[in-house]
Amino acid sequence: NAGVMQNPRHLVRRRGQEARLRCSPMKGHSHVYWYRQLPEEGLKFMVYLQKENIIDESGMPKERFSAEFPKEGPSILRIQQVVRGDSAAYFCASSRTEPNEKLFFGSGTQLSVL
Amino acid sequence: ILNVEQSPQSLHVQEGDSTNFTCSFPSSNFYALHWYRWETAKSPEALFVMTLNGDEKKKGRISATLNTKEGYSYLYIKGSQPEDSATYLCASQSTGNQFYFGTGTSLTVIP
């Protein structure tokens, strides 16, 4: 049973370009969470999705950032017109529906904006 | 967004010492408290999930307690070993199934 898969591991973009980060949850997991880790900081909640639904996006910047979790395929975190301040590690986690279920994390995507 | 706080921020202990760290969380919309272990260059891995006031969980030399009335949890490591060196994260899970993480306690065990 493969774990949570994130790709790419490293992504380099120039200012103004778009960044697409992908997350395939573990088999049987229908909940996906995206977190951002800035240097010297912890994991900051961005968005919580279930299949085809955004449950909570209160942690996501209102502009340039969007997320989706389609019926088929991976969850995508999309950052348009990236700026240097977007440079960070982005982690995805998934869980099952049952109560008390722990999160399983991917290895993260390190985004560097030049 | 809930404010979860952990202390201390970092800790250095000698091999064989026992240690503990604290996680405090707001009581509003609380559902469960999670502890994760995050080794360098790896992903966070779950240690414990606790929901009830007074819950205690144990895995080998590591144990955790939960006090929901006052909003804190302790993680204990008995007889620390170098392989225990990692960042320990706690997360508060809300009734809406959101997870809010503290900034972690970085533990270094000196051989």
Side-chain angles (χ1 to χ4, degrees):
Chain A
N1 188 10
V4 178
M5 305 299 291
Q6 284 190 252
N7 65 80
R9 287 296 303 273
H10 302 276
L11 183 61
V12 179
R13 285 287 178 265
R14 296 191 180 279
R15 281 179 296 170
Q17 292 183 319
E18 179 180 286
R20 283 190 177 228
L21 288 61
R22 294 176 187 77
C23 170
S24 296
M26 284 183 70
K27 188 176 180 180
H29 287 196
S30 59
H31 298 236
V32 166
Y33 302 81
W34 284 94
Y35 291 86
R36 176 165 61 176
Q37 184 196 23
L38 293 168
E40 306 301 321
E41 295 188 19
L43 292 171
K44 298 297 184 185
F45 169 77
M46 297 184 75
V47 62
Y48 164 35
L49 309 107
Q50 294 179 19
K51 281 285 187 183
E52 300 184 277
N53 285 308
I54 296 174
I55 307 302
D56 181 356
E57 56 182 347
S58 59
M60 204 146 71
K62 296 285 186 251
E63 296 179 357
R64 303 188 297 108
F65 285 72
S66 62
E68 62 176 6
F69 187 18
K71 187 176 181 181
E72 301 291 337
S75 175
I76 305 287
L77 179 67
R78 183 181 178 206
I79 311 173
Q80 295 178 289
Q81 300 174 331
V82 296
V83 301
R84 288 215 174 112
D86 296 333
S87 296
Y90 292 83
F91 286 89
C92 164
S94 71
S95 73
R96 296 191 300 181
T97 304
E98 289 78 11
N100 301 349
E101 281 296 318
K102 56 191 176 184
L103 294 177
F104 291 81
F105 280 85
S107 300
T109 293
Q110 180 64 52
L111 173 65
S112 299
V113 179
L114 304 179
Chain B
I1 295 183
L2 301 178
N3 200 23
V4 178
E5 297 184 352
Q6 291 187 245
S7 63
Q9 191 173 13
S10 66
L11 197 54
H12 290 71
V13 301
Q14 291 290 132
E15 182 176 352
D17 286 351
S18 294
T19 187
N20 65 85
F21 352 113
T22 306
C23 172
S24 63
F25 54 91
S27 57
S28 59
N29 301 317
F30 174 82
Y31 179 73
L33 193 286
H34 296 237
W35 281 98
Y36 290 81
R37 183 170 180 270
W38 194 359
E39 291 182 75
T40 303
K42 294 187 177 180
S43 309
E45 291 186 355
L47 288 172
F48 305 114
V49 181
M50 297 176 287
T51 56
L52 300 176
N53 185 48
D55 265 354
E56 294 186 23
K57 293 286 179 79
K58 186 175 181 181
K59 185 186 293 186
R61 295 179 291 100
I62 305 177
S63 60
T65 60
L66 178 65
N67 183 323
T68 59
K69 291 183 179 179
E70 297 182 37
Y72 65 83
S73 175
Y74 291 134
L75 186 78
Y76 301 91
I77 302 178
K78 185 178 178 182
S80 302
Q81 299 296 309
E83 57 265 30
D84 296 329
S85 297
T87 296
Y88 291 83
L89 298 172
C90 73
S92 177
Q93 181 184 1
S94 72
T95 51
N97 219 28
Q98 291 96 333
F99 291 75
Y100 298 102
F101 283 82
T103 52
T105 293
S106 174
L107 174 67
T108 302
V109 182
I110 304 163

